[in-house]
Amino acid sequence: MYDQPRTNPSPTALTFDQMLDHVRREGAYPTRERAAEVTHQVLAALGRQLTGDERVDLAQRLPLEAALTFTGQIPAREQLTGWGFVKDLASRTTTTPAVARWNAGAILTVIARLAGPDLLARVLRQLPAGYALLFGQAELRQPQPAA
């Protein structure tokens, strides 16, 4: 069985420059260059966490330059929690966890809009706890049965 090519279901495809404009506004970055730097850092970090169809489908919704950064990463053996993602991003970019959290939120909120609600829900189901807030979504938990 061969995988069929998937079309990009995103109704409003953005160029990378348009994506950077959104990121720059969302993150209040002073320059386009800073927005691009942070975008590449966060996309690379997300590329180390996401696998499978969700990875492929998300890459198809991203502008080409963003998709190349995202898919250019080898997924990690173990996924990080949302907080672990932020701490790893801070370590790799030599920033504080607070700055890394801001950067992740700014970029992932834009990614959430590009993904759309259905793909975003699939992505969040694949990732461990703590990512929903980074994507600008409520972190909803399933009720646990009483012991």
Side-chain angles (χ1 to χ4, degrees), residues 3 13 17 20-22 25 28 51 62 64 84 87 94 97 100-101 125-126:
D3 285 336
D17 285 338
L20 290 181
D21 288 340
H22 289 282
R25 281 192 302 276
T51 61
L62 297 173
L64 179 60
K87 290 191 306 186
T94 62
R101 166 61 181 94
R125 277 193 300 271
Q126 186 188 110

Side-chain angles (χ1 to χ4, degrees), residues 79-95:
Q79 289 180 318
L80 300 171
T81 63
W83 176 237
F85 177 85
V86 168
K87 290 191 306 186
D88 182 63
L89 183 61
S91 169
R92 290 174 185 266
T93 59
T94 62
T95 63

Side-chain angles (χ1 to χ4, degrees), residues 30-88:
T31 64
R32 177 182 289 268
E33 291 75 23
R34 179 66 180 140
E37 176 184 9
V38 172
T39 297
H40 286 293
Q41 291 168 347
V42 173
L43 282 171
L46 183 61
R48 289 188 288 276
Q49 298 302 308
L50 204 56
T51 61
D53 288 341
E54 290 75 19
R55 178 183 176 99
V56 172
D57 292 346
L58 183 57
Q60 289 180 334
R61 304 236 182 143
L62 297 173
L64 179 60
E65 188 172 340
L68 291 173
T69 298
F70 172 67
T71 59
Q73 303 303 307
I74 297 171
R77 291 181 186 255
E78 292 184 33
Q79 289 180 318
L80 300 171
T81 63
W83 176 237
F85 177 85
V86 168
K87 290 191 306 186
D88 182 63

